[in-house]
Amino acid sequence: QVQLVESGGGSVQPGGSLRLSCAASGYTFSMYCMGWFRQAPGKEREGVAVIGGGGSRSYADSVKGRFTISKDNAKNTLYLQMNSLKPEDTAMYYCARAVRCATAAFLVVRPTLFDYWGQGTQVTVS
């Protein structure tokens, strides 16, 4: 069965860095578009970064220039490199698999188009 397992979260001071990983199994990883989403307490889940069709990438405006999404098909792993972290980045971070590929800009604002989700990894910046 499809499994997505995030790791790499933790507590960091403002300005610090973290790299999140998402290990995928149970399907052909290379054939699917993937994304990172986050949810802070009392807020809706929001798209952070997506790798879409053709390798397109899209980011939330709030993380552009600071976060980088990447995908290692040989390792079946999705990454999110987060630099210059801010307190407002504090949230639970989830990786997810898109039902079908589309451009990254289309997918990043549509979490309902993702069918499998990991359990999340907490990122706290303070």
Side-chain angles (χ1 to χ4, degrees), residues 4-7 19-25 27 29-30 34 36 51 69-80 95:
L4 300 172
V5 180
E6 301 97 335
S7 61
R19 188 175 82 155
L20 305 184
S21 298
C22 172
S25 61
Y27 69 101
F29 182 70
S30 61
M34 299 288 297
W36 287 98
I51 292 182
I69 188 171
S70 61
K71 190 170 179 266
D72 187 334
N73 291 329
K75 295 183 177 180
N76 289 352
T77 302
L78 182 73
Y79 300 100
L80 184 68
C95 68

Side-chain angles (χ1 to χ4, degrees), residues 20-97:
L20 305 184
S21 298
C22 172
S25 61
Y27 69 101
T28 305
F29 182 70
S30 61
M31 294 182 65
Y32 285 82
C33 295
M34 299 288 297
W36 287 98
F37 296 80
R38 68 185 180 187
Q39 189 167 20
K43 294 188 177 181
E44 292 187 356
R45 188 168 297 190
E46 65 170 344
V48 175
V50 165
I51 292 182
S56 60
R57 287 162 169 77
S58 187
Y59 298 89
D61 287 343
S62 58
V63 308
K64 282 180 182 176
R66 300 188 297 121
F67 290 12
T68 302
I69 188 171
S70 61
K71 190 170 179 266
D72 187 334
N73 291 329
K75 295 183 177 180
N76 289 352
T77 302
L78 182 73
Y79 300 100
L80 184 68
Q81 179 66 44
M82 305 187 296
N83 298 328
S84 303
L85 283 161
K86 303 176 180 180
E88 50 263 44
D89 294 319
T90 295
M92 186 71 79
Y93 283 72
Y94 301 88
C95 68
R97 187 190 82 168

